[in-house]
Amino acid sequence: MGRAYTDEEKENIRIKIKQYGKEMFEKEGFKNFRIQKLTKKVGISLGGFYTFFANKEALYEGIIEDEKNRIRLKISNCIENDNITPKDFFVNLASKLPEKVKENKLYENQEKGPYNLMSELIFDIDADNRKENLVFLQNLRKLWDIQGNKLKLSDEEILGILSILGAISMKQSTMDKNIFEKLYKDISMYLINKIV
């Protein structure tokens, strides 16, 4: 049996597990992620991993939660500090979604296993997630209201539009690239013009 970790060592190991775990999930996806590979990178035993997380699902969900919070904070700060208009925000978001889905496996659709980052940020996966998404959107609306920018649609309608864009983005690998790009651009601009 190994020695006990100090509180400081525990915190450092937890940070490393999440940092390396995030990098691995982004590149390999949930299905191909291996705890043994992670523990080797972190420099701990397999049993050491289970001191911090019950399984890879728990690690994945913790990383998704951290990423969701990081992204939301970044969005709020940009809107508040850089005076990003709703139109600029939604156009930028729509333009980045397909690329994020293609290059970062945290956004990848999971056939089995926990939900992905797209699900947490955009889709209503359960009542708590829906409420959280609405609260976040209401906070953005307040920031825009202070700046004198008004949105045409309700928060629920906007979340519906974002869900459509997310779903289309996640299906891009099943479509011809040129068809996807044209379809996505037409749909995203049509929907964004409804919002603002």
Side-chain angles (χ1 to χ4, degrees):
M1 182 159 179
R3 68 173 180 80
Y5 298 120
T6 66
D7 289 342
E8 185 178 343
E9 287 173 325
K10 284 181 185 176
E11 184 57 27
N12 288 335
I13 292 170
R14 179 178 288 281
I15 289 168
K16 279 185 177 180
I17 290 172
K18 281 189 160 184
Q19 175 190 344
Y20 290 130
K22 178 179 174 274
E23 291 170 8
M24 290 171 63
F25 281 125
E26 286 175 343
K27 291 178 185 156
E28 301 168 15
F30 179 80
K31 184 179 176 183
N32 295 322
F33 179 91
R34 299 291 175 259
I35 294 173
Q36 295 84 350
K37 186 175 176 182
L38 173 67
T39 57
K40 190 173 186 178
K41 279 185 156 201
V42 175
I44 59 173
S45 67
L46 189 58
F49 171 84
Y50 292 109
T51 301
F52 298 94
F53 295 95
N55 50 40
K56 81 174 182 178
E57 288 85 357
L59 172 61
Y60 181 85
E61 288 168 2
I63 289 168
I64 292 291
E65 186 68 21
D66 289 351
E67 277 299 284
K68 178 178 65 174
N69 292 333
R70 183 191 66 78
I71 290 168
R72 286 184 171 164
L73 181 62
K74 182 178 178 182
I75 289 169
S76 296
N77 287 338
C78 283
I79 290 170
E80 188 169 19
N81 298 327
D82 300 337
N83 290 325
I84 305 290
T85 67
K87 179 140 189 158
D88 289 342
F89 170 74
F90 288 112
V91 167
N92 189 25
L93 177 67
S95 69
K96 287 184 178 180
L97 277 178
E99 207 52 44
K100 287 286 186 191
V101 170
K102 196 165 33 173
E103 70 186 28
N104 185 334
K105 294 191 183 275
L106 283 177
Y107 290 87
E108 183 178 62
N109 191 22
Q110 306 297 331
E111 290 177 24
K112 293 182 180 176
Y115 291 106
N116 61 26
L117 189 53
M118 183 79 75
S119 300
E120 286 287 328
L121 288 168
I122 294 178
F123 302 143
D124 294 333
I125 53 177
D126 60 34
D128 289 338
N129 180 255
R130 176 176 173 69
K131 183 178 177 184
E132 188 179 298
N133 287 340
L134 284 171
V135 167
F136 178 67
L137 192 51
Q138 289 161 357
N139 290 335
L140 295 184
R141 186 183 289 272
K142 287 176 190 172
L143 292 173
W144 281 318
D145 283 346
I146 291 167
Q147 296 170 357
N149 295 305
K150 302 292 180 196
L151 301 175
K152 294 179 193 174
L153 300 178
S154 71
D155 297 331
E156 291 82 1
E157 290 169 317
I158 293 169
L159 285 179
I161 287 172
L162 295 177
S163 293
I164 291 168
L165 294 177
I168 295 169
S169 295
M170 292 175 71
K171 288 296 186 183
Q172 67 184 297
S173 64
T174 65
M175 301 172 79
D176 174 86
K177 181 182 176 190
N178 294 327
I179 292 172
F180 169 78
E181 288 175 358
K182 168 118 178 60
L183 178 66
Y184 186 82
K185 182 180 177 189
D186 291 347
I187 291 172
S188 63
M189 289 315 299
Y190 173 79
L191 294 174
I192 288 166
N193 286 328
K194 291 240 177 235
I195 295 174
V196 294

